[in-house]
Structures are given as C-alpha cells and as structure tokens.
Amino acid sequence: MLLEIEDLRTTYTDSSTESTVTAVDGVSFEIEEGESFGLVGESGCGKSTIAKSVMRILPDNGRITDGAVRLNGEDLTELDAEPMRQRRWTDIALISQSAMNALDPVYTVDTQIKEAIEAHESWSEQRMDDRVVELFELVGIDPERRHDYPHQFSGGMKQRAMIAMALVLDPDLIIADEPTTALDVISQDTILHHLEELQAETGASMLLITHDMSVVAEMCDRTAVMYAGELAERGPTETIFTNPYHPYTLGLKNAFPSIHGGADSLISIPGAPPPLTDPADACRFADRCPFAAPECRSSDPPMKEVADEHEAACARIDDVGIETMREQAAKREVWHGVDDAPDGASAGDGAASAPTEVSGGDSA
Amino acid sequence: MTVLELDDASKFFRTQTGLGALLSRDQEYVKAVNDVSLQLDDGEIVGLVGESGCGKTTLGKVVMRIHELTDGEITLHGTPIEEYGRKEYFQEVQMVFQDPFKSLNPQMTVREQLAEPLKVHGHDDREERIRESLEFANLTPPDQYLDRYPHEISGGEKQRVAIARALVLDPSVIIADEPVSMLDVSIRAGVLNLFRQLAEERDVTILYISHDLATVRHICTEIAVMYLGKVMEYGPTERICSTPSHPYTERLLSATPVADPTHDRSKVVYDEEVPDPVDLPDGCFFKHRCEFATEACDEEDMHLRPPAKAEADDEDWLMACHRAADGDLDWETIPSHNL
C-alpha cells in the first residue's frame, strides 16, 4: 500500500472568534501503487484540505488533530519539518488548480524547474538538462521552448510545464487538485491525456481531486465521494457511477449534465451543506436527503460495506432498500416535493421534504 | 420573431494603445470577433461555445454595448442598437455574470440590489416587481430574502438574486456569460432550469456563453460554435451535439469528458497552439489542427453554408467548412471519433 490515510482529522481555527472548523472529520482511504484514486465533492467539503494535510502545507491556522497519513508505511504527520521537506517533490508532488500562476514571471521555465531539482538533488547540469527535455516531450511542449518565460506560454502550456516540474524527481504519488478546472475542454483533454501517459510511464500513483464527476469517471480506478468533511461513499469508479449507494451520490448523478444521452432536465439537490463549526452527531446529509429518518439525526452513520470493495455511510440503505432508493432518487418530486417549482433553493427546505412513501418499503 | 440580430459584426482591438499607437506606423489588430452573423428569435436560448480566447465573451460585451462594434451591425427588434438611448437599451437587454460573489454589491440587501435598476429606470411599482422577480427565481417566500445581504445567502441563491435582478426590468434579452461555472454541481441544475423557464414562460431570448458543452446541451435550443472570432457551425442543439458537421465542432465534442466510466473515449490531444489572433493564417483558421485539411483549405473563406448532410427541414443548420459542404469528410477515419 503506497498511501494510507487513517481517520484523518484536520481543523482550522478562526483566531478572531476562536471557533474551530473541522474541515476533514475522520476520513480513511488507501491508494495502491500505480493506482488512480479520485476524490470528488463540492466546494468546502474538505477535499483540498486532505491534499494539504498529506503534503503538510496547511496554513498557520490549520492543524492535523488526529489520524495518520502513511506513505510507504511512514507516518508523515509525525515527521519534523526538514525530513518532511525532503519527502515533498521527491516522493509526493502536488499539482494545484492555480499551479500555473505559481511560475515566477522573471525567470525562464527551465531555470525554475532546475531550481526545484537543486533543492533536493545534486545532479550535473547535463543531467538536469536532459531531464527537463525529456519531461517537456512527455507533456507535449517543444523542448526548445523551455528557455521561454512564463508569459510566453498559454494557460494550458503553463499547467503542463507545472506538471513536468512536479514529475521531475519521479515521485511515487502525484496529488492533482483540480488540475484542469481553469482550462477549456480542449486544453483539459490534452492535459489529462499527458497525465495518464506519464502515470503509465512512471508507475506513479495519483490522487485526483475534483468536483467534476466526468473527469473522475474517465481517469480513476477507485473513487471516494466526500461530503461536509466526511466520506459518503467509496468504491470502484465503475460501480460508484453505475450502482451508487449513498443518496448524495444519487443526487449528484441527477444534477450532472452529460453530453450524451437524452437532454432530460437535471435535478438539483435542495439545500446546502451544514456549517462545520460544531457538527452534530448526525448524518450530515440528512437535512437535504429525501430518505432521512429520525435515526439519521441521532447518530452519524459509519462507513459500512454495501457491495464488493464498496462502502457507503448511510443508515437507510437496508430499511429503504437500495433498488427503491435508486428508483425514487431519479424522480424530481422526491427531492423537491410534488407542487414545488423545478428547484427549491433555500437552505433547510430539504429537511421538510422527507417523503413518507419511500420509508420502510423494501421492494429490492 | 427575430429579437436580436448580428449582421457581420466585428470587434477588433488594437495591440498598441496610447503613445505606442501614435508612434507605430503599422497598427496591428486582434480580431476578437470577426464577421459574425447570428439571429436570435424570442424564447430561444442560443449557446455560444468555444475555447478560451475564441471571442465569445467579447461578443457578449459587444451586445451589452460595453465595446463598440468595429464593423457590421447589431439590431434589436429591427433597430440598430446604437440608435437606442442607453436607458432604453438596458431596459431590453440585461446581463448575468459568471461570479455572483462579485456581481452583487456586498453592502446592499437583496431588496436594494433589485430596487436599484428600477430606481434608475423610474418605476414606481418597485416592491411588487421585486417580489415577483424573486418568486420567479425561486427565492420563496421573498420575505425570507428581501432584507438579507449577499454574505447571508448561499452561492446558488446569490446567482438567483443576480438573475432576479436581471429580470426585474422585464427585458427581452439576457446575456449570460458562464453563469453556472462558479456554482457547485448539486445546485447548478436548479439555476440551469431557471434559464430554461425564463425562455419558455416569459419568452426571454438568452445568449448563453460557455465552454461547457454538456451544460449548453441541456438548456440551449441552438448552438453557435466559435473559433478565433468566427462562427464555425450553427444549428439546432440536437444536430450540433449528435451529428456535428464541422471538424472543429467534432473536436470540441469529443474533448468533453463523459461521466460514465464504461464509456471508452480517446482523448483529444493538441500540443500545438491556437494561431495568433493578430496574425491569422490564410484560408481556414482551423486547418493546422484539422485531420481533413487539404491544400484547398488555404483558399477557404469560412462563410456559413449548409452542410452536405443537412436535410430539407434543416434550413437553420450552417457551417463554415468547404469539405463538409461537399460531403467528402469520412469521420470513421478519425481515431477519436466515437459519437
């Protein structure tokens, strides 16, 4: 096992109000060697905090309060600053959404990549040069252009140059946090293609963090769906998409537009995620969930196995019956009530709309 | 009935301004919008799609009169837009921006945001119009929202307020530039459905600018595909999305990822860059990236014409490729073709 994240808990403290936000609340997953693992969720669900916790680059007010992050068996949360610095870039590399803006405008791209190498290794000039040329070819940029300044590159090229830079020391794990979100579809496709190729070539594992379900569907072997600081569901990408178990995943599928298939209208999920300042001991999706029952508000359901290598954190699957749940979740009126207009936007509406017709039935 | 019509509309920007422009002998231009003709009827939602830098946002800004046309003409209800007074014009044409966190004034309550345009345009029935707008945007009951500030409502609700504000003057045209790209997936659907309702129930004409073909497919009745300032293909959504005729449209579609892990799609790889919009090539602008390009493409003038595969009732389906017009494109030869 390359990366094991066990019961990770990361908090941010607001110094002015002295309140604490638990951005990641007991998340566990593992990534195998050479595997692509997708982490999907909406803004504020804590997915980027996981990336920052693994890299140990949390802002000053952020702290890992519990759990372990083991890379090749070594717990990164226990490391001192200097050994941790050595792990970054050499063993784990991060490609972030705004990576392309991290390039320094006054140095050539070549200089900046070599600077990164020199911070970790004492390679000869020739060796560094060969490596830069090799990587530029891998990410599909003419190596002649390595001596260009960042402003001479387009956004997509800058992002590809940053990918080259992240891979320069052949890391075991690549964390890609929304690597293509700022780019248009054609640049996105080119970058995803190069990422796949690079991964195949180097055998690195990848943690791909994104809000875009279609990117995960195409890139990842296994996927975890995250909601309000916790994992809602985790399993092989194919079954997450074809046979989802958690009502949140079912709702996301309804809301996600597709370029193929009928242009039937999309169904949004009513309400908004709860604040994470003082989470109650309850299912965090309960207020938006059409299948919620009183038990969902009295304890936070743990992850449990629902199918082969597939886990979900929902207490209602057995009671409602997964077939009934999927059937019901595909209907607009189940989410928004019968006489509601196409979409109820106000937070809290979800709590009132728990339909009675689906509770207790088990026609599976 | 045609509401908004663009007739060979062009917007060029000088590459140098100020002293540089006075001193340099050869002035160069970025041809951001280049001879675009489009016709938008009432109740239509026309999607304007293309890569970053294709000129789609500039086109929206020209219609919003943020930029003046360099050449060509835009008419609203048959009258050139510059003949309208500004107030008169914005009574008819409103905009919804990408980022509701920035487009709403943080110091104004929802009521004040919506009252502002009504005050400017001298309407007396403000409260009534505000409530009606909020209700239409599904911010119900309005009383729950009227006195709240933008920071007190969620992102999806903010964008609904922005839409309600655009609606409050009862315009006939709304320009929406990437209106859902900042919103989370779970609430995006609601805002998209709202645009559809606007067109269906209030006959508003919407120019929907986005690079995301999947969302465009869900709400637009027509799609215009833009590349380097030119419209490459225009037609009914179903035609464009299921049987595109222009090689560029096909590329865009096949580059769109599919949320289905069982779907096998080969990725589109373009390592070469889009040509410089200052120094455009002769002939077709897409020829460098096109699998079907021949020498004849150097002569292509990219005027819109029906594709060979158009049938008799496809009169609104146009594109700008001489090879597709002659019907000699064999899609099966493209490895990425999997539509």
Side-chain angles (χ1 to χ4, degrees):
Chain A
M1 204 54 65
L2 179 78
L3 181 78
E4 289 167 274
I5 294 182
E6 197 185 313
D7 207 19
L8 179 71
R9 201 159 267 124
T10 304
T11 60
Y12 294 109
T13 316
D14 183 342
S15 55
S16 59
T17 58
E18 293 199 356
S19 62
T20 303
V21 171
T22 311
V24 178
D25 198 356
V27 166
S28 306
F29 61 86
E30 293 164 349
I31 302 179
E32 288 173 48
E33 269 120 46
E35 187 186 30
S36 285
F37 189 89
L39 190 59
V40 281
E42 302 180 76
S43 35
C45 75
K47 56 193 193 301
S48 292
T49 301
I50 291 186
K52 288 177 186 158
S53 303
V54 174
M55 289 292 282
R56 296 251 319 263
I57 50 168
L58 289 163
D60 289 343
N61 66 336
R63 211 161 63 85
I64 297 172
T65 54
D66 204 2
V69 176
R70 278 187 287 273
L71 184 72
N72 291 317
E74 179 183 45
D75 190 351
L76 299 179
T77 62
E78 307 265 300
L79 285 184
D80 288 335
E82 179 54 24
M84 187 61 218
R85 186 191 71 79
Q86 287 166 8
R87 299 294 179 284
R88 286 185 210 117
W89 227 260
T90 317
D91 296 336
I92 336 164
L94 176 71
I95 303 160
S96 66
Q97 177 179 351
S98 51
M100 55 195 187
N101 302 327
L103 288 167
D104 190 327
V106 299
Y107 295 100
T108 64
V109 176
D110 180 71
T111 311
Q112 298 184 53
I113 298 182
K114 286 176 179 165
E115 197 181 3
I117 303 176
E118 282 168 342
H120 293 270
E121 306 282 346
S122 42
W123 290 1
S124 70
E125 185 63 33
Q126 184 60 46
R127 186 171 172 197
M128 287 197 285
D129 209 47
D130 291 347
R131 183 70 180 148
V132 174
V133 169
E134 183 187 11
L135 281 164
F136 264 56
E137 277 167 358
L138 277 172
V139 297
I141 307 177
D142 179 2
E144 290 302 306
R145 297 201 58 181
R146 66 190 189 277
H147 301 296
D148 280 4
Y149 287 90
H151 75 266
Q152 290 167 291
F153 280 14
S154 70
M157 283 169 79
K158 277 191 252 185
Q159 195 69 342
R160 278 186 269 160
M162 284 307 295
I163 291 172
M165 191 158 166
L167 293 165
V168 75
L169 296 173
D170 218 350
D172 297 333
L173 176 68
I174 306 163
I175 302 178
D177 187 0
E178 303 275 10
T180 56
T181 302
L183 304 167
D184 61 60
V185 280
I186 287 188
S187 310
Q188 162 166 297
D189 223 29
T190 303
I191 285 178
L192 295 180
H193 165 81
H194 287 304
L195 263 180
E196 262 179 350
E197 267 196 342
L198 282 165
Q199 210 197 345
E201 200 138 325
T202 61
S205 305
M206 182 160 66
L207 172 59
L208 179 66
I209 298 173
T210 177
H211 71 280
D212 190 335
M213 299 189 49
S214 56
V215 169
V216 165
E218 292 196 348
M219 298 283 291
C220 300
D221 308 313
R222 286 191 305 140
T223 296
V225 179
M226 199 170 172
Y227 185 76
E230 297 178 328
L231 292 193
E233 185 162 3
R234 175 181 59 206
T237 305
E238 206 169 317
T239 59
I240 291 270
F241 279 83
T242 51
N243 291 311
Y245 281 84
H246 199 284
Y248 177 60
T249 318
L250 291 166
L252 275 184
K253 264 191 78 177
N254 287 336
F256 200 83
S258 167
I259 192 77
H260 292 280
D264 42 356
S265 89
L266 304 164
I267 312 169
S268 63
I269 304 177
L276 300 176
T277 32
D278 189 19
D281 187 19
C283 172
R284 289 172 192 187
F285 190 59
D287 283 348
R288 303 173 79 183
C289 181
F291 307 103
E295 59 184 300
C296 303
R297 298 197 171 83
S298 60
S299 74
D300 194 2
M303 289 285 262
K304 61 174 186 214
E305 191 155 20
V306 288
D308 195 25
E309 291 182 23
H310 193 138
E311 289 173 281
C314 175
R316 299 281 294 148
I317 296 170
D318 291 339
D319 285 348
V320 179
I322 187 60
E323 295 302 328
T324 315
M325 206 182 240
R326 286 183 192 142
E327 212 174 280
Q328 292 293 326
K331 298 177 185 165
R332 173 184 303 280
E333 63 270 22
V334 170
W335 294 89
H336 295 284
V338 186
D339 47 37
D340 204 6
D343 176 59
S346 57
D349 272 6
S353 67
T356 45
E357 75 264 31
V358 294
S359 54
D362 190 359
S363 65
Chain B
M1 205 184 69
T2 303
V3 176
L4 187 71
E5 189 167 2
L6 284 77
D7 188 14
D8 286 337
S10 295
K11 176 65 199 175
F12 299 167
F13 294 100
R14 288 182 181 180
T15 53
Q16 285 174 311
T17 51
L19 193 60
L22 290 174
L23 295 177
S24 71
R25 215 176 313 160
D26 301 313
Q27 186 55 250
E28 289 184 313
Y29 295 92
V30 175
K31 294 176 176 168
V33 177
N34 200 345
D35 281 345
V36 170
S37 299
L38 281 178
Q39 209 179 314
L40 286 81
D41 295 345
D42 49 1
E44 262 184 358
I45 310 180
V46 175
L48 193 58
V49 299
E51 288 168 84
S52 0
C54 74
K56 56 191 191 297
T57 293
T58 305
L59 182 62
K61 286 182 174 172
V62 169
V63 177
M64 280 311 289
R65 291 175 63 177
I66 294 167
H67 296 313
E68 242 172 75
L69 276 180
T70 307
D71 205 3
E73 191 174 66
I74 301 178
T75 55
L76 177 73
H77 303 303
T79 309
I81 58 171
E82 55 277 6
E83 286 178 20
Y84 285 85
R86 288 192 81 78
K87 258 195 198 173
E88 209 185 344
Y89 188 69
F90 293 120
Q91 171 90 46
E92 288 292 314
V93 184
Q94 283 285 316
M95 183 147 188
V96 175
F97 297 89
Q98 176 172 16
D99 188 350
F101 294 82
K102 289 181 186 154
S103 71
L104 296 181
N105 187 333
Q107 298 185 335
M108 283 186 180
T109 61
V110 170
R111 179 187 274 115
E112 287 163 347
Q113 314 265 4
L114 269 73
E116 195 74 4
L118 292 169
K119 255 187 250 172
V120 171
H121 289 267
H123 290 278
D124 293 327
D125 51 347
R126 285 177 212 157
E127 189 70 13
E128 202 183 310
R129 277 177 177 249
I130 291 172
R131 282 172 185 276
E132 195 254 343
S133 249
L134 287 176
E135 263 169 35
F136 188 85
N138 236 316
L139 296 164
T140 48
D143 285 317
Q144 204 183 316
Y145 293 92
L146 281 168
D147 296 312
R148 286 158 91 179
Y149 287 92
H151 74 267
E152 295 172 316
I153 56 179
S154 73
E157 289 168 332
K158 281 195 194 68
Q159 194 61 304
R160 284 163 189 280
V161 171
I163 294 170
R165 183 178 59 183
L167 270 184
V168 81
L169 290 170
D170 204 12
S172 45
V173 177
I174 286 183
I175 313 287
D177 193 349
E178 299 276 12
V180 299
S181 66
M182 301 288 290
L183 305 178
D184 273 324
V185 177
S186 73
I187 50 175
R188 214 179 260 189
V191 175
L192 286 174
N193 290 341
L194 185 56
F195 278 109
R196 213 144 84 167
Q197 255 179 290
L198 267 177
E200 282 165 12
E201 293 169 24
R202 300 178 70 147
D203 265 349
V204 177
T205 303
I206 300 169
L207 182 63
Y208 188 93
I209 303 168
S210 174
H211 73 267
D212 182 1
L213 269 160
T215 52
V216 164
R217 173 172 191 182
H218 269 271
I219 67 155
C220 294
T221 48
E222 268 81 28
I223 293 178
V225 179
M226 246 179 121
Y227 182 69
L228 281 169
K230 288 270 188 195
V231 171
M232 302 303 255
E233 183 162 2
Y234 175 84
T237 302
E238 268 321 293
R239 278 290 187 224
I240 301 283
C241 288
S242 45
T243 57
S245 65
H246 195 289
Y248 180 62
T249 313
E250 201 276 343
R251 303 276 71 192
L252 266 187
L253 282 167
S254 53
T256 305
V258 182
D260 175 3
T262 58
H263 183 93
D264 188 25
R265 185 183 69 89
S266 30
K267 296 195 167 51
V268 174
V269 181
Y270 280 132
D271 288 333
E272 69 274 29
E273 296 298 303
V274 178
D276 184 354
V278 175
D279 185 18
L280 290 165
D282 290 336
C284 176
F285 297 166
F286 185 59
K287 64 185 178 189
H288 305 94
R289 300 166 91 184
C290 182
E291 278 91 347
F292 300 115
T294 61
E295 269 176 31
C297 297
D298 291 335
E299 311 290 324
E300 167 64 40
D301 65 357
M302 293 192 283
H303 72 274
L304 291 170
R305 70 210 95 168
K309 55 175 144 178
E311 285 158 22
D313 55 345
D314 279 333
E315 52 197 42
D316 287 339
W317 187 12
L318 299 166
M319 53 89 235
C321 171
H322 68 101
R323 298 208 59 195
D326 296 342
D328 57 357
L329 297 185
D330 183 6
W331 296 102
E332 301 307 319
T333 60
I334 307 186
S336 68
H337 182 74
N338 52 9
L339 290 161

